[in-house]
């Protein structure tokens, strides 16, 4: 099994919203303007489907008006079953927004404090006296990420505790930021303990049921639903190779949920209305912690001067991105049933927001791949360190192709296809470009490093530089 954790056609769908089956939506946008925006939204995604092979479902809503709710491609290609607004996908680390909300609800009720030490629940962990709930929420705990371990098929609480017991902290709590799925696995267990149940039941009774998220759940492997998406390792016009699905016991509170774009819109509405967490506590969750672009379970950014809170997810067979602008009641959800699609769904979501705010955005282009001789490809092989994000990547040549994979957080490998001298893009989606300076021994990436990397930093146009260390 391969885990990617931290721990993604027709004209605009105006007036034909799947969401209308169960929700009354009120029109606040003039019809002609809505048509124009809807057409732009749909055209953008169609371009990604054509140029990047995007396959999945998308929902865009503003001020309780659903502007787009539509599927692109196949949830089951063999049986020609299309994706829709109610297709069910694993959402991976987008789960963390639910886990953090559970914890903050308990804090608001006085059942825990963010300053509580991990030793209150796990005194057997050697570092438990130095790690707080807040440090785990914000990924500043230094706790070892269990996804660096060899692949796990199934897990229970003891599995994680045994792993963490033998690994020291990566750094003293509060001194650095490093994404670790172990933080949210532990937070999920803690929430369940305090509520006298398990994490899955706690989320279901506290969030899913009150918000009528009837298409959401956890045990995706055993899910029997005609709306279930097949997660693909490879999916294009000629090839459809299903991926191995991750058992929900492995990502747990860090990434176990499956959902739909429509249910995630219900999640947005529940947060907007303060039905699951007060606005005061949400405001605390949406603040950058110690200067990092991460709060309490949310990535923090901006668009056109507005606060954007989001979380993306990546797991074998699926990619997700969930973006919200609370001030303007905007929600963008992009879900895909393709491995290595997360960078694409992030770029789509960000561009959809740009359309809503009349900001610049790019239409993806199709790449023309080049052939490089094996001896030249071999010069790129090696280990590259990215200290900005605490990750290391390995590049190697196999069967005449250049592959890349996270070295300290094992996940699916990506194929890097040459589009110029020293210039590569990921074959899976083409959204992540990289330049490898063979002479200087450095590697530069636009966006996020390698789409397979278990990094939850939205691309946002940043550039990361990695140095060859071996």
């Amino acid at each position: 099994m391969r885990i990617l954790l931290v721990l993604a056609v027709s004209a605009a769908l105006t007036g034909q919203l799947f969401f209308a089956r169960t929700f009354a939506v009120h029109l606040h946008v003039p019809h002609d303007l809505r048509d124009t925006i809807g057409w732009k939204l749909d055209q953008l995604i169609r371009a990604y489907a054509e140029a990047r092979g995007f396959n999945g479902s998308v929902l865009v809503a503003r001020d309780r008006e659903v502007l787009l709710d539509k599927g692109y491609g196949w949830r089951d290609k063999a049986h020609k079953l299309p994706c829709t607004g109610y297709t069910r996908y694993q959402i991976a680390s987008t789960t963390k927004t639910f886990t953090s909300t559970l914890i903050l609800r308990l804090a608001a009720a006085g059942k825990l404090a963010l300053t509580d030490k991990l030793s209150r629940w796990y005194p057997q962990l050697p570092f438990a006296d130095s790690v707080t709930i807040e440090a785990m929420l914000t990924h500043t705990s230094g706790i070892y990420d269990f996804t660096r371990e060899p692949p796990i098929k199934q897990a229970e609480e003891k599995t994680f505790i045994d792993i963490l017991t033998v690994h020291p902290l990566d750094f003293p709590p509060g001194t650095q930021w490093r994404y670790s799925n172990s933080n949210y696995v532990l937070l999920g267990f803690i929430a369940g303990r305090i509520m006298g149940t398990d994490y899955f039941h706690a989320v279901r009774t506290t969030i899913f049921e009150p918000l009528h998220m009837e298409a959401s759940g956890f045990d995706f492997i055993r899910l029997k639903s005609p709306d279930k998406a097949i997660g693909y390792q490879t999916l294009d016009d000629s090839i459809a190779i299903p991926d191995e699905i991750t058992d929900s016991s492995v990502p747990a509170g860090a990434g176990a949920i499956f959902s739909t774009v429509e249910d995630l819109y219900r999640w947005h509405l529940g947060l907007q209305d303060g039905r699951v967490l007060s606005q005061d506590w949400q405001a605390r969750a949406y603040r950058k912690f110690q200067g990092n672009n991460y709060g309490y379970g949310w990535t923090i950014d901006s668009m056109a001067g507005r606060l954007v809170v989001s979380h993306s997810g990546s797991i074998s067979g699926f990619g997700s991105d969930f973006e919200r602008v609370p001030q303007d009641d905007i929600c963008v959800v992009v879900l895909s049933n393709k491995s290595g699609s997360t960078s694409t769904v992030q770029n789509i979501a960000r561009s959809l927001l740009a359309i809503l705010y009349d900001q610049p955005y790019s239409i993806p282009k199709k790449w023309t791949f080049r052939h490089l001789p094996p001896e030249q490809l071999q010069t790129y092989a090696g280990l590259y360190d990215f200290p900005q994000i605490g990750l290391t990547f390995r590049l190697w040549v196999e069967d005449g192709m250049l592959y890349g994979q996270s070295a300290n957080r094992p996940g699916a490998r990506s194929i890097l296809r040459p589009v110029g001298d020293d210039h590569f893009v990921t074959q899976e989606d083409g959204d992540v470009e990289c330049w490898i300076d063979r002479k200087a021994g450095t590697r530069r990436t636009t966006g996020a490093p390698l789409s397979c990397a278990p990094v939850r930093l939205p691309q946002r146009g940043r550039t990361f530089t990695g140095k060859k260390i071996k």
Side-chain angles (χ1 to χ4, degrees):
M1 182 185 70
R2 296 163 304 144
I3 306 174
L4 287 80
L5 290 175
V6 257
L7 200 113
V9 220
S10 59
L13 198 63
T14 302
Q16 300 176 6
L17 305 175
F18 292 118
F19 206 77
R21 298 175 305 125
T22 54
F23 241 86
V25 289
H26 303 284
L27 306 180
H28 296 294
V29 183
H31 194 274
D32 56 345
L33 180 60
R34 185 181 66 158
D35 283 348
T36 301
I37 292 176
W39 183 85
K40 288 182 179 179
L41 299 173
D42 182 67
Q43 288 297 307
L44 173 77
I45 303 165
R46 291 176 64 185
Y48 270 98
E50 174 67 22
R52 297 288 184 267
F54 171 70
N55 195 93
S57 300
V58 181
L59 185 143
V60 180
R62 180 177 60 187
D63 196 19
R64 309 301 162 106
E65 168 66 22
V66 179
L67 300 171
L68 184 70
D69 179 3
K70 188 175 180 181
Y72 299 79
W74 309 106
R75 70 177 184 271
D76 182 342
K77 185 174 181 180
H79 295 94
K80 302 300 182 185
L81 300 177
C83 297
T84 68
Y86 41 93
T87 297
R88 303 183 190 192
Y89 303 81
Q90 286 192 291
I91 65 169
S93 284
T94 300
T95 296
K96 290 180 175 67
T97 64
F98 294 86
T99 305
S100 66
T101 298
L102 270 188
I103 292 294
L104 296 180
R105 280 175 58 94
L106 293 170
K111 296 183 179 180
L112 63 74
L114 300 187
T115 54
D116 282 345
K117 300 294 180 61
L118 183 58
S119 54
R120 174 178 167 185
W121 298 276
Y122 297 103
Q124 68 271 42
L125 290 174
F127 49 79
D129 279 333
S130 64
V131 173
T132 64
I133 292 290
E134 183 175 65
M136 291 190 289
L137 281 171
T138 57
H139 294 298
T140 58
S141 69
I143 294 176
Y144 175 83
D145 190 344
F146 79 91
T147 63
R148 300 183 210 169
E149 296 291 296
I152 303 170
K153 289 287 187 180
Q154 289 183 314
E156 54 187 21
E157 188 173 11
K158 184 178 184 300
T159 307
F160 298 104
I161 300 307
D162 288 348
I163 291 172
L164 298 181
T165 298
V166 300
H167 288 285
L169 297 178
D170 290 341
F171 49 81
T175 63
Q176 297 182 43
W177 185 95
R178 178 172 289 183
Y179 196 99
S180 173
N181 291 286
S182 300
N183 289 317
Y184 276 76
V185 170
L186 291 172
L187 290 171
F189 289 147
I190 289 169
R193 284 191 179 196
I194 294 175
M195 297 177 68
T197 182
D198 61 33
Y199 169 77
F200 307 110
H201 187 261
V203 173
R204 185 173 292 108
T205 57
T206 304
I207 300 175
F208 289 170
E209 291 176 2
L211 299 185
H212 306 288
M213 296 176 63
E214 298 173 359
S216 301
F218 301 94
D219 195 357
F220 194 74
I221 286 180
R222 296 165 189 82
L223 174 65
K224 304 295 183 184
S225 169
D227 299 317
K228 178 179 178 178
I230 293 175
Y232 290 96
Q233 177 182 343
T234 302
L235 179 63
D236 57 33
D237 292 339
S238 58
I239 302 174
I241 304 174
D243 212 337
E244 187 171 358
I245 301 304
T246 305
D247 188 90
S248 59
S249 67
V250 178
I257 291 175
F258 69 78
S259 192
T260 69
V261 294
E262 295 181 359
D263 262 12
L264 289 175
Y265 181 48
R266 292 182 177 90
W267 175 220
H268 163 79
L269 293 177
L271 291 167
Q272 287 294 108
D273 297 340
R275 283 181 279 157
V276 290
L277 187 65
S278 73
Q279 298 299 339
D280 287 344
W281 276 95
Q282 287 187 58
R284 294 180 66 175
Y286 303 154
R287 295 172 186 162
K288 294 182 179 181
F289 189 79
Q290 294 183 353
N292 300 300
N293 292 324
Y294 202 91
Y296 295 161
W298 295 89
T299 298
I300 314 301
D301 211 319
S302 63
M303 170 68 72
R306 296 291 201 268
L307 172 72
V308 179
V309 296
S310 67
H311 215 296
S312 57
S314 182
I315 201 166
S316 52
F318 297 92
S320 66
D321 197 27
F322 176 54
E323 308 248 351
R324 304 176 52 238
V325 186
Q327 182 179 348
D328 296 331
D329 195 2
I330 284 175
C331 177
V332 174
V333 189
V334 186
L335 304 179
S336 175
N337 56 331
K338 290 178 65 176
S339 282
S341 62
T342 303
S343 61
T344 292
V345 300
Q346 290 174 324
N347 286 346
I348 290 174
R350 194 65 177 177
S351 295
L352 293 171
L353 281 177
I355 290 173
L356 295 181
Y357 284 102
D358 196 25
Q359 297 292 301
Y361 64 96
S362 300
I363 300 294
K365 62 180 180 180
K366 267 196 168 182
W367 295 103
T368 300
F369 297 136
R370 295 180 55 183
H371 172 74
L372 295 181
E375 56 270 22
Q376 181 174 344
L377 289 178
Q378 193 61 47
T379 64
Y380 303 113
L383 206 60
Y384 296 80
D385 182 51
F386 291 78
Q388 289 175 286
I389 48 178
L391 288 172
T392 305
F393 296 92
R394 183 171 71 94
L395 302 183
W396 74 97
V397 178
E398 183 180 320
D399 297 328
M401 305 289 285
L402 184 64
Y403 286 85
Q405 186 177 38
S406 169
N408 57 345
R409 294 181 192 165
R413 62 186 188 176
S414 286
I415 298 174
L416 276 67
R417 297 291 300 272
V419 293
D421 285 336
D422 300 342
H423 184 191
F424 295 81
V425 298
T426 51
Q427 176 172 295
E428 290 78 3
D429 53 32
D431 268 356
V432 179
E433 300 179 64
C434 64
W435 290 264
I436 308 173
D437 187 336
R438 288 170 287 166
K439 295 180 180 179
T442 61
R443 176 172 175 268
R444 304 188 309 278
T445 67
T446 59
L450 289 184
S451 62
C452 70
V455 177
R456 291 294 163 262
L457 291 177
Q459 293 193 334
R460 315 304 191 210
R462 297 191 183 103
T463 298
F464 302 107
T465 301
K467 182 173 291 186
K468 191 171 185 179
I469 59 176
K470 186 176 179 181

